């Protein structure tokens, strides 16, 4: 591809497609674009088929909102999970990260976002009504709110706490603070403040 013009319209369309993905900047999108163009046809077809198959088969669980191939996911159906604890997360991928810790044994509820007035997202745009319905119909004793430690995540957690509190269900929030191995010197004011508020009794 010596002398290939990066301004080529077709190549730019390819770059724009990849850079529209979360976490992919223009530089990374350009590298991915060249990698795709270097693929031999059979490898590319297999790669494309994997994406198409996943897109066609994966869906969102009717119960919790997580990813699954079936109407209801294996976590919701499992009799080995604790039905008394419900972990509320922002997005389906958050379930994957929490499951990787192997520290949580309850079930989940995906909000599909956070309250963000600046983006025009209010409680009605999230799966909060479905959450309340689940709490009314099941024997959940604790709701663990696992929204991100952002202004929007905190606002959403505060709203959920206000809505759930009259139901006399225990409400907890995952602790946020300084990363293990980190130091106070390199912690920003917001993170350090959260660490102080989430302090533990020894």
């Amino acid at each position: 591809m010596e002398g290939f013009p990066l301004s080529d319209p077709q190549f730019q369309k390819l770059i724009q497609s990849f850079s529209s993905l979360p976490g992919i900047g223009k530089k990374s999108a350009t590298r991915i674009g060249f990698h795709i163009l270097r693929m031999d046809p059979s490898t590319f077809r297999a790669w494309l088929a994997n994406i198409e198959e996943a897109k066609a088969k994966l869906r969102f669980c009717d119960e919790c909102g997580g990813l699954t191939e079936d109407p209801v996911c294996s976590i919701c159906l499992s009799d080995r999970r604790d039905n008394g604890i419900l972990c509320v997360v922002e997005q389906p991928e958050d379930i994957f990260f929490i499951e990787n810790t192997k520290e949580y044994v309850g079930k989940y509820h995906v909000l599909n976002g956070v309250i963000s007035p600046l983006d025009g997202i209010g409680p009605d745009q999230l799966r909060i009504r479905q959450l309340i319905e689940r709490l009314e119909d099941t024997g959940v004793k604790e709701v663990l709110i696992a929204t991100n430690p952002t202004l929007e995540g905190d606002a959403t957690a505060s709203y959920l706490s206000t809505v759930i509190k009259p139901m006399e269900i225990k409400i907890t929030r995952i602790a946020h603070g300084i990363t293990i191995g980190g130091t106070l010197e390199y912690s920003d004011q917001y993170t350090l403040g959260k660490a102080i508020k989430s302090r533990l009794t020894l």
Side-chain angles (χ1 to χ4, degrees):
M1 296 183 187
E2 187 177 349
F4 181 82
L6 294 180
S7 59
D8 180 87
Q10 205 62 44
F11 187 70
Q12 283 302 311
K13 284 173 64 177
L14 185 64
I15 300 309
Q16 288 171 10
S17 296
F18 288 123
S19 59
S20 67
L21 298 172
I24 303 295
K26 191 171 183 179
K27 186 178 291 185
S28 295
T30 301
R31 286 199 298 268
I32 295 171
F34 275 115
H35 178 76
I36 294 295
L37 293 175
R38 290 190 187 99
M39 282 184 176
D40 63 76
S42 61
T43 302
F44 175 73
R45 283 193 296 270
W47 178 81
L48 198 58
N50 287 337
I51 296 176
E52 290 178 338
E53 184 177 11
K55 180 66 176 173
K57 291 185 176 181
L58 290 175
R59 51 169 291 170
F60 297 108
C61 174
D62 292 341
E63 187 75 14
C64 72
L67 282 174
T68 178
E69 289 188 39
D70 303 304
V72 179
C73 74
S74 59
I75 292 178
C76 286
L77 292 174
S78 175
D79 56 5
R80 296 184 178 182
R81 310 289 297 209
D82 187 344
N83 291 317
I85 308 175
L86 195 65
C87 180
V88 180
V89 297
E90 294 181 14
Q91 300 292 352
E93 55 265 35
D94 295 332
I95 295 177
F96 171 79
F97 300 127
I98 293 176
E99 284 296 288
N100 272 351
T101 68
K102 302 188 185 303
E103 294 291 338
Y104 179 71
V105 295
K107 296 190 176 181
Y108 295 93
H109 186 86
V110 180
L111 294 174
N112 280 343
V114 286
I115 296 173
S116 179
L118 292 177
D119 297 318
I121 302 174
D124 292 341
Q125 280 73 54
L126 305 178
R127 297 181 68 249
I128 294 177
R129 177 179 56 81
Q130 293 90 330
L131 170 62
I132 300 305
E133 289 175 355
R134 290 183 71 185
L135 296 179
E136 291 173 340
D137 297 338
T138 58
V140 173
K141 297 180 177 62
E142 177 185 352
V143 173
L144 170 59
I145 301 175
T147 52
N148 289 314
T150 61
L151 292 176
E152 294 80 8
D154 287 346
T156 303
S158 178
Y159 178 85
L160 291 176
S161 178
T162 301
V163 172
I164 298 170
K165 194 164 291 184
M167 304 177 75
E168 297 184 353
I169 296 173
K170 181 180 180 181
I171 304 167
T172 57
R173 178 107 192 262
I174 57 171
H176 299 295
I178 301 168
T179 305
I180 294 176
T183 62
L184 298 182
E185 179 182 1
Y186 295 106
S187 297
D188 62 86
Q189 183 179 4
Y190 187 76
T191 300
L192 187 54
K194 294 299 291 184
I196 293 172
K197 287 183 180 180
S198 301
R199 64 189 181 275
L200 303 174
T201 300
L202 301 178

